[in-house]
Structures are given as structure tokens and as C-alpha cells.
Amino acid sequence: MIEPLSFSLPLFWSAVLAFAILVYVLLDGFDLGVGILFALNRDEAHRQQMMGSIAPVWDGNETWLVLIGTTLFGAFPVVYAIFLAAFYLPVALLLVALILRGVAFEFRYKDEGHRWLWDLGFVFGSIIAAFVQGAAIGAMVAGIAVEDGRFVGGPFDWLTPFAVLCGLGLVVGYALLGAGWLVLKTEGGLRDWAYAWLPRLLAGVIGVVVLALVATFSADFEVVRRWLDRPWLFLFPLLAGAAALGLWRGVQARRDWQPWLMASALFVNAFAMLAGSFWPWIVPYHLTVAQAAAPASSLSFLFYGIGLVVLPVIMVYTAAVYWIFRGKVSPEASDD
């Protein structure tokens, strides 16, 4: 087979994987956040407006999760096998939660007699999906049990106090993204309500981050030594601090575009620090990108299929949807 380009295919696919994860977190993060905030607002008019703000994009956002799974399966099958074994329960809970959200999203308008039930499904589906994602990240930071390329731990190894803290932190973080999105996309009473919640959620995120850092240094995780060996990584917390300040100032000035943009910048910097801490490990401290990559022929085959066709199509589709549905959602917006 003709080599596609002279660059390293494992490096290319690790970049695609990192990009897909970041885009998924930013996009599905805010619509999961809207679902979390759903529990805090009992006004039906506001709830319909919240649904309307994410209706055109929520299912497309989850396309990036499919791309993540496909990339792992095709380009890094060893990693796929390890992660599926280590996080079987979180992955199962994530899938059930996303299905529950999708069903609740459609049925709450068609089955008004049981709307309260579908609202609970939407809220708990959003919370569970956010929590298990954060808990899995926490478990990876702490390290998972891998020997000879196989997971050798138990089914509940991921459920540690540190992982629970990270899971709760991501719930609050996604709610922050969701509140920023509501400020950006809505008007009237709901916009004012979201503005009121932004400072509280920002304080909650900062509090969880401080607790997580204290726990990380106290437990002497391997990631701490990576930070000390790479002092340039501390640039990202400084940039995150600047983003937090920008978010707060955006709330004070009532600049609708600023809170969501700055909340996204917080996540970008957190992701960059995490990626910089792990690199070149793809399974932290056990397998590098080069060691875990599929054979060159498989990576090349994926490049011509997913790399040159599927990935550009998803990117164009995502950009088109957000462009077409730009602007504010009217207070009367609903899904029916």
C-alpha cells in the first residue's frame, strides 16, 4: 500500500484522538450541563427554552464520542481493550445515561402526563454521564492496574474517593459550561437566571480543583513527578486562572459571549495540562502511543477512510449546524 504521507501515523492518530476528546468535552459538555441545570429550574417555560437551546446540536455533539471509540478500536486496539476492561461499568453507565437522555428529550413533549418522569430521566442521565466521565479521568490520573498489556484490576477499582471527587468536579464543570451556553443562546428571565448561577458554579469548580490538587499531592501520584519534571506545565493553570477571571468579568459586564468562551478556555487548559502530563503515555505509565498503535497497514487503511473522509465530514457538519442555528433562542422555543 502506498504510504499516505511521511508523517508518523501513530502520532497522527493520537492527535485525532486528543482533538476528538477535546471537542466532545466542549460540545457535549455544555448540553450535559444544561441537563444538569434542568434540576435547578422548575419553570416550565424556562425548561422549554433550555431544551430549545440544545435541540439542534445535542445529537450531533455525541457523534464525537462515536469517533473517539472508533479511533481507539481501530488505531489503538490494545488501549481499547484495556480501557473497556478497566471501565466496563462506567462505559455501560455512560451509554445507558445517554440513551436515557435521548429518550427523555423526545418523550417529554409527547407524553405530557408523565413529563415529570422524563424530566427526571433527562436530569439523571446528564448527571450520570458527566460523573462517570470525570471518575474515569480521576482513575487514570491515579493509575490503573496493567500488566503485559492487560488490565488486571477489579471492576470497581475506578471507584475511589479521588475518582468520585473528579466525577463531582466534572458535573459542576459541565454545569458551568451549560450556564455559559444558556447566557449565550437565551434571553429574558432564563438568561438572567443563568447569569446568577455562573459565579456560584465557578466558585464550585475552583473549590473542587483545589481539593483535587491537595489530594493529588497528598497521595503522591506519579503525575506529580511529571509536573515537577516539566515545569512548563504550570503555564496551563496560570492560563486557566486568567480564563476564570475573564469569566467573572464577563458576568459582571454582562457580555453574553464571554462566560461560555472563558469556561471553554478553562477546559482547554485543563485538558492541555492533562495531556502534557501523560505524554507520551496513552495508558498512563504503562503503554506509550508507539507501543499501543495498531500495525502500520491498519493505520494507513484508517487514514484513507476515517482520516480523509469521515473526520472532515464530521467537522464540516458540526460547523454548519452551529452556523445555521447561531443566534439567540426565543423564549417560546420548544422541541414540539
Side-chain angles (χ1 to χ4, degrees), residues 86-87 135-146 151 157-158 160 162 221-223 278 283-286:
F87 301 114
I137 293 170
M140 288 178 59
V141 170
I144 58 178
V146 175
F151 176 68
D157 281 9
W158 61 277
T160 64
F162 180 76
F221 292 145
E222 174 66 25
V223 72
F278 287 163
V283 178
Y285 327 123
H286 294 289

Side-chain angles (χ1 to χ4, degrees), residues 141 209 213 216-217 223-224 226-228 230-240 266-279:
V141 170
V209 168
L213 286 174
T216 301
F217 280 97
V223 72
V224 174
R226 308 280 289 181
W227 293 345
L228 297 177
R230 301 175 177 182
W232 55 269
L233 286 172
F234 289 98
L235 172 65
F236 295 114
L238 294 177
L239 293 174
L266 278 171
F267 273 85
V268 170
N269 282 287
F271 180 82
M273 185 166 185
L274 197 63
S277 302
F278 287 163
W279 183 260

Side-chain angles (χ1 to χ4, degrees), residues 191-262:
R191 171 179 170 271
D192 294 337
W193 179 86
Y195 261 123
W197 270 100
L198 276 168
R200 308 174 205 174
L201 294 168
L202 179 61
V205 168
I206 293 172
V208 172
V209 168
V210 170
L211 288 175
L213 286 174
V214 170
T216 301
F217 280 97
S218 300
D220 194 28
F221 292 145
E222 174 66 25
V223 72
V224 174
R225 284 181 281 279
R226 308 280 289 181
W227 293 345
L228 297 177
D229 290 340
R230 301 175 177 182
W232 55 269
L233 286 172
F234 289 98
L235 172 65
F236 295 114
L238 294 177
L239 293 174
L245 178 61
L247 193 157
W248 181 79
R249 294 189 67 175
V251 171
Q252 298 301 307
R254 292 283 176 129
R255 288 189 285 264
D256 290 0
W257 58 269
Q258 196 163 336
W260 183 75
L261 185 63
M262 293 297 102

Side-chain angles (χ1 to χ4, degrees), residues 4-74:
L5 287 173
S6 60
F7 58 69
S8 166
L9 285 173
L11 186 61
F12 170 79
W13 284 112
S14 65
V16 169
L17 182 61
F19 177 72
I21 292 172
L22 179 59
V23 173
Y24 170 77
V25 166
L26 294 179
L27 299 188
D28 208 34
F30 75 71
D31 72 55
L32 287 172
V34 170
I36 294 165
L37 292 172
F38 214 71
L40 303 176
N41 193 323
R42 305 300 295 273
D43 187 295
E44 178 57 27
H46 285 180
R47 285 187 163 189
Q48 290 202 21
Q49 199 176 354
M50 292 167 83
M51 286 288 200
S53 74
I54 62 173
V57 298
W58 72 271
D59 49 353
N61 292 343
E62 292 175 1
T63 304
W64 291 92
L65 186 63
V66 177
L67 180 63
I68 293 168
T70 303
T71 302
L72 274 178
F73 181 78

